[in-house]
């Protein structure tokens, strides 16, 4: 996870240094219009499984509305760090790992950038943590992961843009991270509603989604 966080900081620092005008991204309005009905359909399929509370279902469906999707991914509120490049789909199938000479596992590549956007600086961290970590591990290590992100982000931004470095503190990171967990929840619902046909995998993803809903709805 920390290896992925370091990579996130690297491409965000590069995007901030070069400026948003040099980044050719797909317009997101059409994407949101296409994705919103699919997201809602998947949430309804998850609700049919019978374990979601009504307030969780209502919250998830509200996050799937186009204005809310735009806010989660692209809005910068006062006190937030600058908008940064976000992959917006950092689940396991888009992460390629390899082993070094000593057998250590490390990130080799991030693929499938068609959903990329300039948005919430913590969006990708939220996705990586929320989608790929079990509840107990996520809750135990969230602060450490965010501290690592803050340290790396500030260091890399100061290096690439030393004349006017962007900085972020832990309190800012926590607010943006919590907002980004909404996207992680939607992505878990999408996986459960479209791809999940293995009982063990379904249980794992369901527990991760349940824990996020517990933390940010309640």
């Amino acid at each position: 996870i920390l290896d992925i966080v370091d990579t996130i900081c690297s491409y965000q620092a590069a995007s901030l240094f070069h400026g948003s005008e040099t980044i050719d991204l797909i317009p997101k309005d059409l994407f949101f219009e296409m994705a919103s009905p699919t997201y809602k359909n998947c949430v309804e399929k998850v609700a049919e499984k019978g374990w979601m509370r009504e307030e969780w279902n209502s919250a998830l469906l509200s996050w799937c509305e186009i204005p809310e999707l735009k806010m989660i991914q692209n809005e910068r509120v006062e006190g937030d760090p600058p908008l940064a490049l976000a992959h917006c789909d950092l689940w396991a199938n888009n992460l390629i790992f390899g082993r070094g000479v000593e057998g250590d596992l490390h990130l080799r590549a991030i693929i499938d950038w068609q959903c990329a956007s300039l948005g919430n600086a913590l969006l990708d961290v939220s996705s990586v943590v929320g989608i790929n970590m079990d509840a107990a591990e996520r809750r135990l290590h969230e602060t450490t992961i965010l501290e690592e992100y803050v340290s790396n982000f500030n260091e890399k931004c100061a290096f690439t843009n030393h004349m006017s470095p962007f900085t972020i503190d832990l309190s800012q990171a926590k607010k943006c991270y919590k907002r980004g967990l909404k996207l992680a929840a939607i992505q878990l619902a999408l996986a459960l509603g479209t791809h999940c046909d293995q009982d063990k995998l379904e249980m794992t993803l369901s527990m991760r989604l349940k824990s996020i809903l517990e933390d940010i709805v309640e």
Side-chain angles (χ1 to χ4, degrees):
I1 294 293
L2 293 180
D3 194 16
I4 301 170
V5 168
D6 180 67
T7 302
I8 291 170
C9 293
S10 294
Y11 62 68
Q12 287 186 338
S15 74
L16 290 170
F17 175 68
H18 290 292
S20 60
E21 70 277 0
T22 65
I23 301 174
D24 186 18
L25 300 175
I26 297 174
K28 295 303 287 286
D29 285 350
L30 179 60
F31 171 80
F32 290 135
E33 289 177 10
M34 295 173 60
S36 178
T38 301
Y39 289 157
K40 289 178 184 178
N41 183 56
C42 289
V43 170
E44 290 167 356
K45 288 183 178 179
V46 176
E48 290 172 0
K49 299 179 185 296
W51 59 264
M52 278 216 299
R53 299 177 186 176
E54 180 56 39
E55 60 267 30
W56 295 351
N57 185 50
S58 297
L60 270 172
L61 287 173
S62 71
W63 301 339
C64 295
E65 296 290 347
I66 293 174
E68 187 73 10
L69 286 171
K70 289 182 178 180
M71 188 195 75
I72 292 169
Q73 294 195 33
N74 301 122
E75 185 178 47
R76 181 181 182 270
V77 300
E78 185 176 357
D80 280 359
L83 298 180
L85 179 62
H87 180 279
C88 297
D89 195 19
L90 284 185
W91 69 302
N93 281 19
N94 289 336
L95 303 171
I96 298 178
F97 293 90
R99 293 195 180 276
V101 176
E102 298 180 358
D104 53 315
L105 192 67
H106 58 90
L107 183 68
R108 286 190 180 273
I110 297 174
I111 62 173
D112 287 353
W113 286 83
Q114 65 268 25
C115 296
S117 177
L118 288 172
N120 178 352
L122 271 291
L123 200 63
D124 284 348
V125 177
S126 301
S127 291
V128 165
V129 172
I131 297 171
N132 301 293
M133 295 184 74
D134 290 338
E137 290 292 302
R138 175 177 63 80
R139 288 165 174 161
L140 179 63
H141 296 295
E142 271 178 335
T143 297
T144 299
I145 292 168
L146 291 176
E147 288 173 344
E148 183 77 8
Y149 172 84
V150 167
S151 175
N152 283 355
F153 182 91
N154 291 338
E155 179 181 347
K156 292 178 188 298
C157 285
F159 176 76
T160 57
N161 197 11
H162 58 85
M163 295 298 293
S164 179
F166 294 103
T167 59
I168 180 174
D169 61 36
L170 188 60
S171 63
Q172 289 176 314
K174 286 182 176 179
K175 288 191 296 183
C176 293
Y177 167 79
K178 187 171 183 179
R179 195 162 73 234
L181 280 179
K182 294 179 180 179
L183 179 61
I186 293 170
Q187 290 169 316
L188 284 167
L190 179 65
L192 285 165
T194 58
H195 304 304
C196 200
D197 56 3
Q198 303 175 42
D199 290 343
K200 185 176 181 180
L201 178 60
E202 179 177 340
M203 181 177 295
T204 298
L205 297 184
S206 295
M207 291 301 295
R208 291 175 185 175
L209 174 57
K210 178 178 181 291
S211 72
I212 292 174
L213 294 171
E214 287 175 342
D215 290 352
I216 63 177
V217 175
E218 299 179 10

